[in-house]
Amino acid sequence: MHDGDGPKPITCSLLWGARRTREGMPVRPGETYFVRITGLTPEVEEALDLALLHNPPKTWELDRHTFRVVRTTDTPEEDPTGWAGRQSYAEMVQTYLQGRSALRKRITLEFASPTAFRSQEKQITLPLPGLVFGSLVERWNAFAPIALSADMRRFAEECIAVSRYRLQSRPVDQKNKALRIGAIGEATYIALRYDVYWVSVFNLLADFARFGGVGVQTTTGMGQVRTR
């Protein structure tokens, strides 16, 4: 699953519920923590179902800590974080590309974990429209059975603007003891040009962010994003 370059068919959150300190992210006995995993292909989805939903482990070791597994779920009503859920690619296409939902010209995204991008060999921590929606359309086209126009990146660069934002930088520990910086918070994006196809894709990809992740290192906790 991790072989090769490009987007990976899985995302994994950081350990939610643990607060980062100068010494890292300490965990304490008796506290409750959450981990969120998404599968972006039928094969990965099936593997996650078998390993976590249908036959969940009693304990799970993460970073040399053993956790007792209290519950696994894919149902929003059973998830205190509100992130659980399922949605197929076909359902998202029907909702936005086949006229099943009203389209929004203005969309707010919550960057719940540090989000960053690689562009021209540089790391960029600001979630600019072209980077956000370029990342999402690349991820969608890598795994969805119905392709979207790759020119969405260009449309986002030229015709989507940030109307307001509330962002902060946050470090994320890497395996080599280095730190990667990303942005957390909220940003509101507005389509400056109303074209039905492009605004439909704008809406679709914004909702897809909840499952696909945004930017780099989405398999190790970064880029957890959803609409507000």
Side-chain angles (χ1 to χ4, degrees), residues 101-199:
S101 178
L103 299 177
R104 299 159 290 173
K105 289 183 62 177
R106 188 187 306 269
I107 297 175
T108 298
L109 294 181
E110 174 194 1
F111 297 89
S113 71
T115 303
F117 306 86
R118 290 286 295 175
S119 179
Q120 299 179 353
E121 302 303 318
K122 294 184 293 185
Q123 177 174 296
I124 300 176
T125 58
L126 292 176
L128 301 173
L131 296 174
V132 171
F133 292 94
S135 169
L136 286 168
V137 75
E138 177 185 4
R139 211 165 293 252
W140 173 279
N141 285 342
F143 306 116
I146 301 171
L148 302 174
S149 173
D151 283 341
M152 181 61 194
R153 181 186 294 272
R154 180 179 175 184
F155 177 82
E157 291 173 345
E158 298 178 357
C159 300
I160 294 178
V162 177
S163 64
R164 62 181 180 179
Y165 61 89
R166 187 175 69 248
L167 299 166
Q168 295 178 313
S169 61
R170 285 287 187 275
V172 178
D173 295 305
Q174 304 292 290
K175 290 182 178 179
N176 60 2
K177 305 301 181 182
L179 292 176
R180 187 184 289 272
I181 306 300
I184 64 168
E186 292 185 357
T188 298
Y189 301 87
I190 183 170
L192 303 177
R193 171 186 162 199
Y194 193 88
D195 175 278
V196 172
Y197 174 77
W198 293 117
V199 174

Side-chain angles (χ1 to χ4, degrees), residues 1 13 61 69 71 76 79 97 105 107 115 129 137 147 220 223 225:
M1 186 168 58
S13 73
E61 184 172 318
V69 178
R71 176 187 295 173
D79 176 17
L97 297 185
K105 289 183 62 177
I107 297 175
T115 303
V137 75
T220 57
V225 179

Side-chain angles (χ1 to χ4, degrees), residues 2-226:
H2 290 281
D3 291 344
D5 298 325
K8 309 302 181 188
I10 192 170
T11 76
C12 185
S13 73
L14 297 171
L15 191 65
W16 287 345
R19 293 185 176 275
R20 192 181 190 282
T21 68
R22 292 182 179 179
E23 289 73 35
M25 295 179 66
V27 295
R28 297 177 176 83
E31 297 291 331
T32 300
Y33 302 95
F34 302 88
V35 173
R36 176 175 182 264
I37 302 176
T38 64
L40 301 177
T41 64
E43 295 80 9
V44 174
E45 181 184 24
E46 181 180 359
L48 291 174
D49 284 349
L50 290 173
L52 296 178
L53 284 178
H54 302 327
N55 187 30
K58 294 182 179 180
T59 61
W60 201 4
E61 184 172 318
L62 296 173
D63 195 24
R64 298 181 298 279
H65 293 282
T66 300
F67 294 85
R68 180 170 63 91
V69 178
V70 177
R71 176 187 295 173
T72 63
T73 184
D74 63 352
T75 304
E77 293 75 18
E78 297 179 354
D79 176 17
T81 71
W83 284 78
R86 288 179 185 256
Q87 194 170 16
S88 71
Y89 293 107
E91 288 172 336
M92 284 185 271
V93 168
Q94 289 175 354
T95 298
Y96 293 112
L97 297 185
Q98 297 177 359
R100 300 285 183 88
S101 178
L103 299 177
R104 299 159 290 173
K105 289 183 62 177
R106 188 187 306 269
I107 297 175
T108 298
L109 294 181
E110 174 194 1
F111 297 89
S113 71
T115 303
F117 306 86
R118 290 286 295 175
S119 179
Q120 299 179 353
E121 302 303 318
K122 294 184 293 185
Q123 177 174 296
I124 300 176
T125 58
L126 292 176
L128 301 173
L131 296 174
V132 171
F133 292 94
S135 169
L136 286 168
V137 75
E138 177 185 4
R139 211 165 293 252
W140 173 279
N141 285 342
F143 306 116
I146 301 171
L148 302 174
S149 173
D151 283 341
M152 181 61 194
R153 181 186 294 272
R154 180 179 175 184
F155 177 82
E157 291 173 345
E158 298 178 357
C159 300
I160 294 178
V162 177
S163 64
R164 62 181 180 179
Y165 61 89
R166 187 175 69 248
L167 299 166
Q168 295 178 313
S169 61
R170 285 287 187 275
V172 178
D173 295 305
Q174 304 292 290
K175 290 182 178 179
N176 60 2
K177 305 301 181 182
L179 292 176
R180 187 184 289 272
I181 306 300
I184 64 168
E186 292 185 357
T188 298
Y189 301 87
I190 183 170
L192 303 177
R193 171 186 162 199
Y194 193 88
D195 175 278
V196 172
Y197 174 77
W198 293 117
V199 174
S200 297
V201 174
F202 172 46
N203 281 250
L204 184 155
L205 291 176
D207 277 0
F208 173 62
R210 176 185 172 198
F211 301 101
V214 176
V216 299
Q217 300 293 123
T218 54
T219 61
T220 57
M222 298 184 70
Q224 296 277 307
V225 179
R226 62 180 173 179

